[in-house]
Amino acid sequence: MKLLKVSVPNFRNLKNVELTFEPSLKPSVFPIGSLNGGSKTTLLKLLFLLLSHYKDSEATQFLLSFLGNYKPNRLIARIEILHESRLILLEYRLN
């Protein structure tokens, strides 16, 4: 499974963030850089929470607390993954 693209339209300090990862590049390690306070940690926490806890009912409270006062049905993030030659598009919204 390879992460291809992450889009975050508007979450905390992340505004119109779009990261594209090229799967054919070697090594498959991509640095994420910005100035201090540039929300690198926020982006990584958001990705971790969405990809690992979205079906975990016990983690729902933590996820909601991390997301804060997020408006219902608003797009939080869009993630594209390549898995066994299939492109999988994940969209995360709060209901």
Side-chain angles (χ1 to χ4, degrees):
M1 187 176 316
K2 293 187 179 189
L3 183 62
L4 296 179
K5 190 176 193 176
V6 175
S7 302
V8 182
N10 185 6
F11 176 74
R12 293 189 177 179
N13 291 339
L14 302 170
K15 310 289 186 227
N16 297 317
V17 171
E18 187 168 292
L19 298 173
T20 302
F21 304 96
E22 181 56 52
S24 63
L25 291 178
K26 301 291 181 212
S28 298
V29 175
F30 299 92
I32 298 173
S34 75
L35 297 173
N36 285 343
S39 297
K40 299 176 293 292
T41 301
T42 299
L43 176 65
L44 293 174
K45 282 182 182 178
L46 179 64
L47 287 173
F48 173 75
L49 287 170
L50 293 178
L51 292 173
S52 64
H53 294 303
Y54 73 100
K55 286 190 176 181
D56 183 354
S57 59
E58 291 181 17
T60 302
Q61 271 309 90
F62 181 73
L63 182 58
L64 289 174
S65 135
F66 178 73
L67 295 175
N69 296 329
Y70 216 77
K71 296 177 183 168
N73 205 29
R74 188 170 173 190
L75 180 65
I76 298 167
R78 181 176 292 123
I79 300 172
E80 293 179 24
I81 296 173
L82 185 63
H83 180 63
E84 296 177 356
S85 301
R86 288 187 13 223
L87 180 64
I88 300 168
L89 175 62
L90 305 171
E91 284 193 351
Y92 295 92
R93 298 176 187 272
L94 278 184
N95 291 326

